[in-house]
Amino acid sequence: MPAQFDDAVAAYPLIGAYSSDLSGGEVNQAGEVTYLGVGAGRGGRGALLGPRAAELTDKIPADISFLWTDVDAPAAVRNSGMNDLGDWYWLACRGRVEPAPGTEYVQPLDISTEDLQEVQDRCNPNTHVRPGDEGLTWWGYHHPDGTIAGLCALLIPPQDNNGPLRYAGLELAGLGVDPTYRRQGIGAAMMSAITAWGLARFSCVHYGVWPDNEGALRIYYRLGYRQEQHVRGWAPMPLGSLQ
């Protein structure tokens, strides 16, 4: 369904960025575009977006691990027993990211899972991604004093310039900074360096942020990220923070 998928991406950029998960789906074009896509990646994530979403809710798989919907989700989703994880802003950076001081300290991490867990316990213990999760690459901020003072997970998508995957973006998750080192620009340096790396390879770099995280949003907007969608997340069990 190349043409239909292109229509869905034009209406909902999130679908394109997650095309490695969502490109096999169904488009309802009666009226405005409505899309349901569910993939096997990362445990069967899916998206149901559009004004006629209620007409496709009966096709959501029972074993789905995570679902994006519009903020005003269909009643069938709200009453399904899935956990409402709240609404959040889906941000994307395309084309250019502003440089930030300290990017030279941001590098991929080559440390054990146990050491990664220790860094995460300091920097962002409540995030939903974990060292050892399949498909993740971890980057860190190597402070001059020898401490890994920041951490971020990258989900690098497969690439195919001739199919739906041409829309795929680099997904970031679990960004965190050790409390001892906060307010030193480390988060901005990490986002700038990783985003520049991602934009050299993919259509965009993207990240989900809670609407009330105003300090982080100011930083991301300054770097060149823009809110492209406002969505709600659902899961069969609590996943913790989505940031």
Side-chain angles (χ1 to χ4, degrees):
M1 70 170 85
Q4 288 188 327
F5 187 72
D6 289 348
D7 290 342
V9 172
Y12 311 107
L14 177 149
I15 291 170
Y18 287 102
S19 57
S20 57
D21 281 337
L22 305 178
S23 58
E26 177 169 341
V27 178
N28 180 337
Q29 291 182 296
E32 295 182 68
V33 174
T34 295
Y35 185 81
L36 170 64
V38 180
R42 303 240 18 224
R45 299 189 294 182
L48 175 59
L49 299 166
R52 303 176 71 92
E55 298 174 10
L56 296 176
T57 54
D58 62 336
K59 297 185 179 181
I60 299 172
D63 60 350
I64 194 169
S65 67
F66 184 87
L67 180 70
W68 289 279
T69 69
D70 296 302
V71 174
D72 185 14
V77 175
R78 298 196 305 272
N79 300 328
S80 67
M82 297 182 75
N83 289 283
D84 181 353
L85 302 176
D87 64 301
W88 45 280
Y89 295 157
W90 182 73
L91 308 182
C93 185
R94 305 175 188 271
R96 183 178 184 275
V97 62
E98 290 294 324
T103 55
E104 66 271 22
Y105 299 117
V106 183
Q107 302 170 10
L109 292 175
D110 184 15
I111 59 178
S112 69
T113 300
E114 291 75 16
D115 288 342
L116 272 173
Q117 188 62 64
E118 185 276 328
V119 176
Q120 188 179 66
D121 288 344
R122 288 188 286 108
C123 296
N124 192 355
N126 297 320
T127 183
H128 69 292
V129 291
R130 296 293 175 192
D133 285 355
E134 184 178 356
L136 295 180
T137 299
W138 295 86
W139 286 46
Y141 186 95
H142 297 258
H143 195 276
D145 69 5
T147 303
I148 300 176
L151 186 72
C152 186
L154 288 64
L155 183 62
I156 300 174
Q159 292 179 278
D160 180 356
N161 293 330
N162 298 315
L165 291 179
R166 69 187 182 278
Y167 295 113
L170 175 65
E171 178 184 354
L172 308 185
L175 176 70
V177 176
D178 186 320
T180 305
Y181 296 86
R182 289 176 184 168
R183 300 187 180 279
Q184 298 181 29
I186 290 174
M190 293 188 67
M191 287 294 284
S192 178
I194 295 170
T195 303
W197 182 88
L199 289 176
R201 294 161 174 82
F202 305 103
S203 67
C204 68
V205 182
H206 56 100
Y207 192 48
V209 183
W210 300 120
D212 61 358
N213 195 348
E214 296 178 356
L217 286 168
R218 283 195 295 271
I219 293 171
Y220 303 149
Y221 292 153
R222 187 173 71 241
L223 290 173
Y225 280 78
R226 296 293 179 264
Q227 177 193 331
E228 294 196 359
Q229 285 190 242
H230 187 184
V231 292
R232 186 172 295 277
W234 303 84
M237 61 184 66
L239 291 180
S241 169
L242 291 179
Q243 301 191 57

